[in-house]
């Protein structure tokens, strides 16, 4: 009952309230992003949620569109601004995802939605992450680890998909502030991993049909 009704009801109610309360902050951040990095203000990317269904995830952009002489985008580290790094360290870049929660694409708490093109690289056990909607606040909060490996992250997310409960969500909600504090101390804004597809190809893990 919690998964099928109450979790979605809580998501809808709290995200709606948050959108109203945070509207002044959205306006300030949008102005700063526009001034610092130009348009578009919001970054969209196709991600996967419950059942592997795709949707367009919204985030404040944290990088410029600077390109090299051949017209190719420069590496992420060269395009990220000081304000963009602040957005990532503080997780403020993820505030637009509250709109995704309100619409029903995501949940407040759940596995981080990854790119739909990565779906084929999950093991059968890891696909249990799709038993629930993707979330703004990830299960890794319980592990107090702001920079997990892909294997760790996907294992924890699959475990959450199988065992999601009201009690678990309450604990995660209270521990998220500790994770944000650890992110600020760990230079999370500079943290980069190889794309999941790249890493798994290097380990010779073939895409799953």
């Amino acid at each position: 009952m919690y998964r099928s009704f109450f979790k979605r009801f809580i998501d809808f109610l709290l995200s709606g309230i948050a959108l109203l309360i945070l509207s002044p902050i959205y306006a300030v951040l949008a102005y700063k992003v526009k001034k610092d990095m130009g348009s578009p203000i919001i970054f969209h990317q196709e991600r996967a949620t419950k059942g592997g269904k795709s949707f367009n995830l919204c985030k404040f952009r944290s990088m410029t569109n600077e390109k090299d002489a051949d017209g190719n985008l420069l590496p992420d580290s060269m395009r990220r601004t000081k304000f963009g790094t602040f957005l990532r360290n503080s997780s403020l870049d993820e505030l637009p995802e509250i709109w995704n929660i309100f619409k029903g694409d995501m949940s407040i708490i759940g596995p981080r939605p990854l790119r739909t093109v990565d779906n084929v690289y999950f093991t059968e056990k890891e696909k249990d992450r799709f038993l629930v909607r993707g979330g703004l606040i990830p299960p890794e909060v319980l592990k107090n680890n702001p920079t997990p490996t892909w294997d760790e992250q996907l294992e924890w997310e699959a475990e959450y998909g199988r065992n999601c409960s009201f009690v678990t969500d309450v604990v995660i909600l209270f521990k998220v502030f500790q994770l944000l504090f650890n992110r600020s101390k760990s230079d999370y804004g500079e943290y980069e991993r190889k794309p999941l597809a790249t890493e798994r190809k290097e380990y010779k893990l073939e895409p799953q049909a």
Side-chain angles (χ1 to χ4, degrees):
M1 179 65 75
Y2 174 65
R3 290 187 186 216
S4 60
F5 177 75
F6 286 111
K7 186 172 173 67
R8 174 60 194 145
F9 174 75
I10 293 171
D11 288 337
F12 178 78
L13 179 64
L14 295 185
S15 61
I17 294 172
L19 287 171
L20 291 175
I21 294 175
L22 297 175
S23 56
I25 296 177
Y26 280 111
V28 171
L29 292 178
Y31 169 77
K32 182 62 176 174
V33 169
K34 171 71 173 178
K35 182 180 178 181
D36 222 49
M37 290 166 271
S39 297
I41 295 170
I42 300 296
F43 166 80
H44 294 90
Q45 189 175 61
E46 187 177 1
R47 302 287 182 97
T49 187
K50 184 177 180 179
K53 180 182 176 181
S54 64
F55 72 99
N56 284 319
L57 179 137
C58 308
K59 297 178 72 170
F60 281 121
R61 64 186 299 188
S62 59
M63 292 180 285
T64 68
N65 286 327
E66 291 182 87
K67 299 180 180 179
D68 60 24
D70 297 321
N72 301 311
L73 286 173
L74 294 173
D76 291 358
S77 59
M78 298 179 67
R79 294 188 292 120
R80 190 171 297 128
T81 67
K82 184 177 181 180
F83 182 65
T85 298
F86 163 75
L87 286 176
R88 290 201 67 201
N89 276 342
S90 61
S91 293
L92 289 173
D93 63 322
E94 296 176 359
L95 283 182
E97 292 173 39
I98 295 176
W99 174 245
N100 288 123
I101 296 171
F102 185 74
K103 291 196 304 173
D105 299 325
M106 294 173 57
S107 181
I108 294 173
I109 299 170
R112 285 301 297 162
L114 300 180
R115 301 179 308 164
T116 53
V117 295
D118 290 328
N119 288 0
V120 295
Y121 292 100
F122 301 134
T123 65
E124 287 303 313
K125 286 186 177 181
E126 289 169 351
K127 289 179 182 177
D128 285 346
R129 67 196 306 279
F130 291 135
L131 293 173
V132 292
R133 287 183 178 87
L136 174 64
I137 302 173
E140 66 204 47
V141 167
L142 293 174
K143 311 297 182 178
N144 195 25
N145 182 354
T147 56
T149 65
W150 280 118
D151 287 348
E152 289 172 333
Q153 176 180 331
L154 296 175
E155 177 185 352
W156 299 338
E157 290 174 343
E159 180 182 342
Y160 176 85
R162 292 187 292 268
N163 303 310
C164 169
S165 70
F166 176 73
V167 173
T168 300
D169 281 358
V170 170
V171 174
I172 290 174
L173 196 59
F174 276 100
K175 288 182 70 69
V176 68
F177 299 103
Q178 183 180 5
L179 178 71
L180 292 176
F181 178 70
N182 287 339
R183 279 187 176 185
S184 67
K185 293 194 305 179
S186 65
D187 291 326
Y188 178 79
E190 302 295 335
Y191 172 59
E192 293 184 18
R193 287 184 296 190
K194 293 180 181 179
L196 177 64
T198 301
E199 180 178 293
R200 298 224 152 162
K201 285 177 182 177
E202 288 178 353
Y203 282 97
K204 303 186 185 305
L205 290 178
E206 295 299 323
Q208 304 292 310

